[in-house]
């Protein structure tokens, strides 16, 4: 995988991909950042706004590219455009605003990430209710980790009729000191369990708001 830009976003992705065993090549034009990350994963000092530089690096051979450059809109757009022109199958690009995101999508980025906005949205849901973790997947579909409402405690999922009454689905249950298990109709929920629940964000918020 190709990672362009070694700011906080790009470096975190490169380090994680390398730790997971993926082949990574990072590209950064700032010599100080290159020196800082030398030896931690493969990287090259180059200016990816120059399409010829990407060609020389073999960017065409990478099925996935991540554009971690966000502070310079011009550089972000140029690099993304260069990768589009090279025919990169999957381009993930960081954006710092909704306008930036729209531009990246229009020029051909397949996935646009707004880290600050996404993090803010997630934290807002966590601090305002009983949710322990919150992941919005797409179009409102969300997965959360939460404590069970009192009315479900001591009952099986079938007895509680959670899906019918609240429109959400319990995916897994974790009893204290045990592993998560996939939930079935016969799974009994206890007060100290952790639940993994999926559904539309608004329905999950209502379910989590139950006492």
């Amino acid at each position: 995988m190709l990672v362009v830009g070694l700011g906080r976003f790009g470096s975190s992705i490169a380090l994680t991909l390398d730790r997971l065993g993926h082949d990574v090549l990072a590209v950064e034009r700032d010599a100080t950042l290159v020196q800082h990350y030398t030896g931690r994963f493969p990287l090259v000092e180059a200016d990816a706004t120059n399409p010829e530089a990407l060609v020389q690096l073999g960017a065409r051979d990478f099925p996935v590219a991540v554009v971690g450059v966000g502070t310079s809109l011009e550089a972000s757009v140029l690099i993304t455009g260069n990768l589009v022109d090279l025919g990169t199958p999957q381009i993930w690009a960081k954006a710092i605003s909704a306008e930036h995101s729209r531009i990246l999508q229009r020029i051909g980025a397949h996935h646009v990430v707004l880290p600050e906005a996404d993090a803010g949205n997630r934290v807002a849901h966590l601090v305002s209710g009983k949710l322990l973790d919150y992941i919005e997947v797409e179009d409102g579909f969300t997965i959360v980790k939460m404590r069970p409402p009192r009315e479900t405690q001591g009952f099986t999922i079938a007895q509680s009729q959670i899906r019918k009454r609240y429109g959400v689905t319990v995916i897994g249950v974790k009893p204290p000191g045990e592993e998560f298990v996939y939930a079935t109709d016969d799974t009994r929920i206890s007060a100290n369990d952790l639940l993994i629940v999926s559904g539309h964000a608004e329905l999950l918020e209502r379910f989590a708001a139950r006492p």
Side-chain angles (χ1 to χ4, degrees):
M1 299 185 188
L2 185 69
V3 179
V4 183
L6 290 177
R8 284 179 296 179
F9 179 75
S11 62
S12 176
I13 289 176
L15 287 165
T16 303
L17 289 172
D18 183 69
R19 187 175 70 248
L20 293 173
H22 296 286
D23 292 327
V24 178
L25 176 64
V27 182
E28 173 57 58
R29 66 180 180 182
D30 186 324
T32 302
L33 287 174
V34 171
Q35 183 177 5
H36 178 74
Y37 288 107
T38 294
R40 305 180 71 175
F41 45 75
L43 73 162
V44 176
E45 183 179 342
D47 184 359
T49 63
N50 180 353
E52 189 59 34
L54 287 174
V55 172
Q56 292 176 2
L57 291 170
R60 283 195 178 96
D61 300 329
F62 289 88
V64 180
V66 179
V67 181
V69 178
T71 53
S72 170
L73 190 148
E74 180 181 3
S76 169
V77 170
L78 286 173
I79 294 166
T80 302
N82 290 340
L83 292 168
V84 171
D85 291 342
L86 290 174
T88 304
Q90 288 290 321
I91 301 171
W92 293 73
K94 173 188 174 181
I96 57 174
S97 67
E99 293 77 11
H100 187 185
S101 173
R102 283 196 293 270
I103 293 170
L104 293 173
Q105 290 173 331
R106 286 173 183 169
I107 64 176
H110 304 100
H111 308 276
V112 178
V113 182
L114 288 94
E116 289 81 4
D118 292 344
N121 179 51
R122 177 173 176 271
V123 172
H125 283 89
L126 296 181
V127 302
S128 64
K130 300 178 180 178
L131 302 178
L132 302 175
D133 208 348
Y134 180 98
I135 302 172
E136 185 169 344
V137 180
E138 190 171 2
D139 296 332
F141 180 79
T142 303
I143 299 173
V144 303
K145 180 169 69 174
M146 59 176 287
R147 296 289 183 187
R150 276 202 304 267
E151 63 204 67
T152 67
Q153 298 170 14
F155 298 96
T156 66
I157 290 175
Q159 290 170 336
S160 299
Q161 296 185 310
I162 294 172
R163 176 69 182 171
K164 181 178 179 180
R165 295 171 64 187
Y166 299 106
V168 300
T169 301
V170 178
I171 300 173
V173 177
K174 183 184 186 304
E178 300 181 26
E179 298 290 331
F180 271 106
V181 295
Y182 287 107
T184 68
D185 285 345
D186 297 326
T187 301
R188 190 172 299 276
I189 298 172
S190 300
N192 294 322
D193 287 346
L194 290 176
L195 306 183
I196 300 297
V197 191
S198 67
H200 192 277
E202 291 185 5
L203 297 177
L204 287 168
E205 290 282 2
R206 291 175 192 168
F207 181 57
R210 301 293 297 174

